[in-house]
Amino acid sequence: MVPAIDLRGGRVVRLVEGDPGRATVYEADPVAVARRFEAQGAPLLHVVDLDAALGTGSNAQAVRALCRAVRVPVQVGGGLRTLESVEEALRAGAARAVLGTAAASDPSFVSRCVARHGDRIVVAVDVRDGRVVVRGWRKEAGALEELLPALDAAGAPRYLVTAVTADGRLEGPDLVLYERVRSLTQRPVLASGGVRDATDLRALAALGVEGAVVGRALYEGTLSLSEVAAVGGPP
């Protein structure tokens, strides 16, 4: 299980279905949150700069401080739409850079990033009703069945697939979506959106996903990192 730390205005928040108007602030200190998850045994942290993703600002300083405050690897996404921004994230201490809008809009961007950074690249594929959505989930970029093979061909090392309609709702992951994704690619897949408890982790593990990114369930206490070892599911 991979804890999610979403940043908006320097604070740790969670959105519902990516809607900035439906945000809950959980913590004011991202570094303290990261250190807590590290102490609890997180194998990886997933950090998103929501302001950069939405084009409303930047949390670059907070991301840099967080990456440098922990030893556990951190994957960083949000607004990484140029080679320069990817390199800045990696120089700031990120172990992986997560590409979203730029990758879905232009798979050749993935090829260029992978040529420079190899498996330090993760491609985020955000899906609503079978369509890939970009720019803070506000615009469509095409059908999943068309885009995923194109990203495979571009050399995407692994995917982070988010079920948009499940994200932040604590109503369970979209298992049908992940079954479809596993039929379309042999690359490793991280699942995101809707995980509530250990039962959901078991269900995802049965589908063969590499791991699960979890946010609200951790912040609201319906799931803890200590439960993951007992689950035997995705880390």
Side-chain angles (χ1 to χ4, degrees):
M1 178 170 62
V2 180
I5 302 176
D6 291 354
L7 303 178
R8 190 178 184 205
R11 299 179 296 178
V12 179
V13 307
R14 294 299 293 168
L15 308 184
V16 176
E17 296 183 36
D19 183 353
R22 301 165 72 189
T24 300
V25 177
Y26 285 104
E27 301 275 355
D29 185 351
V31 168
V33 174
R35 285 175 169 161
R36 182 171 72 242
F37 286 143
E38 179 182 43
Q40 293 171 354
L44 173 72
L45 300 178
H46 176 70
V47 176
V48 178
D49 184 340
L50 291 174
D51 291 312
L54 295 168
T56 58
S58 172
N59 292 279
Q61 289 186 331
V63 171
R64 185 180 301 108
L66 188 158
C67 289
R68 294 177 179 178
V70 296
R71 294 184 179 181
V72 66
V74 180
Q75 65 180 31
V76 173
L80 302 185
R81 295 169 185 159
T82 65
L83 287 170
E84 291 75 17
S85 63
V86 169
E87 289 169 1
E88 285 173 8
L90 296 175
R91 282 197 303 269
R96 296 176 180 169
V98 182
L99 314 181
T101 294
S105 303
D106 178 14
S108 70
F109 178 63
V110 175
S111 298
R112 296 195 298 274
C113 290
V114 171
R116 293 194 185 189
H117 303 295
D119 64 3
R120 297 181 74 185
I121 299 299
V122 180
V123 176
V125 179
D126 303 328
V127 184
R128 180 193 290 123
D129 299 328
R131 308 287 293 180
V132 177
V133 290
V134 297
R135 298 199 175 277
W137 301 348
R138 293 170 294 185
K139 294 185 178 181
E140 288 192 1
L144 178 65
E145 284 79 4
E146 297 172 359
L147 188 58
L148 209 57
L151 292 168
D152 262 12
R158 60 170 30 83
Y159 296 106
L160 168 64
V161 179
T162 298
V164 172
T165 55
D167 193 63
R169 299 183 66 88
L170 282 183
E171 295 177 357
D174 185 344
L175 299 178
V176 173
L177 169 62
Y178 296 110
E179 189 171 18
R180 287 173 60 200
V181 169
R182 298 302 297 137
S183 73
L184 292 169
T185 181
Q186 297 301 309
R187 306 292 166 81
V189 173
L190 286 164
S192 177
V195 170
R196 301 161 295 188
D197 52 30
T199 299
D200 290 336
L201 292 180
R202 293 189 187 95
L204 288 168
L207 294 177
V209 302
E210 179 185 39
V213 173
V214 180
R216 188 176 170 192
L218 286 173
Y219 294 107
E220 300 202 358
T222 65
L223 182 63
S224 67
L225 282 158
S226 62
E227 294 179 74
V228 176
V231 171

